[in-house]
Amino acid sequence: MELEFIKYEKEKQIAFITLNRPDRLNAIGPEIYRDWTAALDEAENDDDVKVIVFKARDALSAQG
């Protein structure tokens, strides 16, 4: 799975989905939403994943 604006990592039974577009304050737009849903689908379809953690790269994020 190749994602442009999301970083997807898995440690044991935890999937980490990180918004990775700090130049845009990690704002949710069509491009990041596409990657976010792909990462979420990956985690949901992995029977080993029991927890999904959402976070943003850097301290900045903008939602609205």
Side-chain angles (χ1 to χ4, degrees):
M1 171 177 54
E2 188 172 324
L3 303 172
E4 187 174 359
F5 301 112
I6 294 285
K7 184 176 179 184
Y8 180 85
E9 300 171 291
K10 187 175 125 181
E11 266 183 52
K12 299 182 182 177
Q13 296 179 317
I14 304 171
F16 295 91
I17 298 175
T18 305
L19 302 177
N20 192 23
R21 197 172 184 193
D23 59 316
R24 297 292 214 168
L25 302 179
N26 294 308
I28 305 294
E31 302 90 358
I32 204 167
Y33 182 77
R34 176 198 64 227
D35 286 358
W36 191 1
T37 56
L40 186 56
D41 287 344
E42 178 78 16
E44 287 180 327
N45 291 320
D46 186 335
D47 291 335
D48 292 335
V49 172
K50 304 299 181 205
V51 176
I52 300 171
V53 176
F54 294 102
K55 58 186 183 173
R57 181 173 158 219
D58 297 338
L60 300 173
S61 64
Q63 289 79 32

